[in-house]
Amino acid sequence: MGEEELHQLIRGCIKQDRKCQKMLYKAFYGFSMGICLRYAGNRDEAAEVMNQGFFKVFTHIESFDTSRPFKAWLGKIMMNVSIDHYRANLKMAYTEDLDQAEHVSDGDIADKNLNYNDLLGMVQKLPQAYRTVFNLFAIEGYSHEEIATMLNINAGTSKSNLHKARQKLKQMIFKADSSANNANYNNGMGYTPIVAIKAINMNGYS
């Protein structure tokens, strides 16, 4: 979509033109769903959060600065709505402090052979507290101090949840990798790795 066409849709959305709203929704559905899927436990939950996000987009679109990238503005809204959803469903479990969390590098996860959907499915299986911190730290790039402020927790809790998220992801990845090797061996096939993907590059669909 060209910049002029996008700005026309935005002007229409400011006027609450339903056709323009529908066209903008369809144009950025995949991008928005990609963000919400990372934070949600399943696709239905992601769709619910995404629709809440678009409601905020359409009710606040007049505040969008057209000199800035629209995707960045939209993405921030989708992330914030996902965090609001996390807060609304906050559980006290999985949030114990760990001031000196054992370091597990992203490379321990990234070097395994997975495609995007495989890794996304694993992230979705994480407990919500782990999943939210993992996304904010490893993908969005926020510091533990920033995450603590966003989620109303302390930095030690953020470190703990990230550590545990990585440990659980490693376990799932190694299990999947082992299963793939065994299946190919039993079928008399040489093991051919799936395209490797780095966890920190999981930016959703464009």
Side-chain angles (χ1 to χ4, degrees), residues 139-203:
I139 299 173
E140 307 292 354
Y142 289 98
S143 69
H144 286 298
E145 289 71 23
E146 291 171 323
I147 295 170
T149 300
M150 295 165 73
L151 302 183
N152 296 321
I153 58 179
N154 59 50
T157 297
S158 178
K159 292 175 184 178
S160 173
N161 289 345
L162 176 65
H163 167 73
K164 293 172 183 176
R166 284 171 165 166
Q167 289 293 80
K168 284 187 173 290
L169 283 172
K170 281 179 65 178
Q171 292 169 6
M172 286 188 277
I173 289 169
F174 288 141
K175 183 177 180 180
D177 200 44
S178 177
S179 296
N181 274 308
N182 289 337
N184 286 325
Y185 178 80
N186 291 333
N187 290 331
M189 299 169 57
Y191 179 59
T192 303
I194 302 172
V195 177
I197 181 168
K198 287 185 178 294
I200 57 174
N201 290 330
M202 284 173 41
N203 292 319

Side-chain angles (χ1 to χ4, degrees), residues 8-194:
Q8 286 180 357
L9 288 181
I10 292 172
R11 288 192 290 269
C13 290
I14 291 174
K15 297 177 182 178
Q16 299 184 3
D17 184 302
R18 298 286 292 178
K19 182 179 179 181
C20 289
Q21 290 177 340
K22 184 177 180 180
M23 291 176 67
L24 192 74
Y25 179 92
K26 289 179 66 176
F28 292 96
Y29 173 91
F31 171 76
S32 301
M33 179 62 85
I35 295 172
C36 295
L37 277 170
R38 295 202 310 264
Y39 289 89
N42 54 61
R43 195 170 189 85
D44 288 341
E45 183 182 353
E48 178 185 348
V49 173
M50 182 191 67
N51 286 332
Q52 292 173 5
F54 270 110
F55 176 78
K56 285 199 170 186
V57 168
F58 294 139
T59 54
H60 295 87
I61 197 164
E62 72 280 353
S63 67
F64 169 64
D65 182 352
T66 55
S67 68
R68 297 178 177 273
F70 179 75
K71 263 192 174 183
W73 183 77
L74 174 64
K76 189 68 176 293
I77 289 178
M78 293 299 165
M79 184 193 74
N80 286 337
V81 171
S82 296
I83 292 172
D84 289 342
H85 182 76
Y86 161 82
R87 287 176 181 149
N89 295 281
L90 183 63
K91 306 298 181 183
M92 295 308 295
Y94 313 116
T95 56
E96 63 193 56
D97 286 347
L98 184 62
D99 293 330
Q100 295 295 327
E102 178 186 350
H103 178 69
V104 181
S105 70
D106 290 310
D108 290 332
I109 295 174
D111 290 341
K112 288 299 166 183
N113 298 308
L114 293 168
N115 60 36
Y116 175 82
N117 290 328
D118 289 336
L119 190 54
L120 176 62
M122 292 176 185
V123 171
Q124 289 179 326
K125 290 178 182 178
L126 293 171
Q128 190 173 32
Y130 299 178
R131 184 171 65 240
T132 302
V133 171
F134 177 82
N135 277 302
L136 290 173
F137 184 91
I139 299 173
E140 307 292 354
Y142 289 98
S143 69
H144 286 298
E145 289 71 23
E146 291 171 323
I147 295 170
T149 300
M150 295 165 73
L151 302 183
N152 296 321
I153 58 179
N154 59 50
T157 297
S158 178
K159 292 175 184 178
S160 173
N161 289 345
L162 176 65
H163 167 73
K164 293 172 183 176
R166 284 171 165 166
Q167 289 293 80
K168 284 187 173 290
L169 283 172
K170 281 179 65 178
Q171 292 169 6
M172 286 188 277
I173 289 169
F174 288 141
K175 183 177 180 180
D177 200 44
S178 177
S179 296
N181 274 308
N182 289 337
N184 286 325
Y185 178 80
N186 291 333
N187 290 331
M189 299 169 57
Y191 179 59
T192 303
I194 302 172

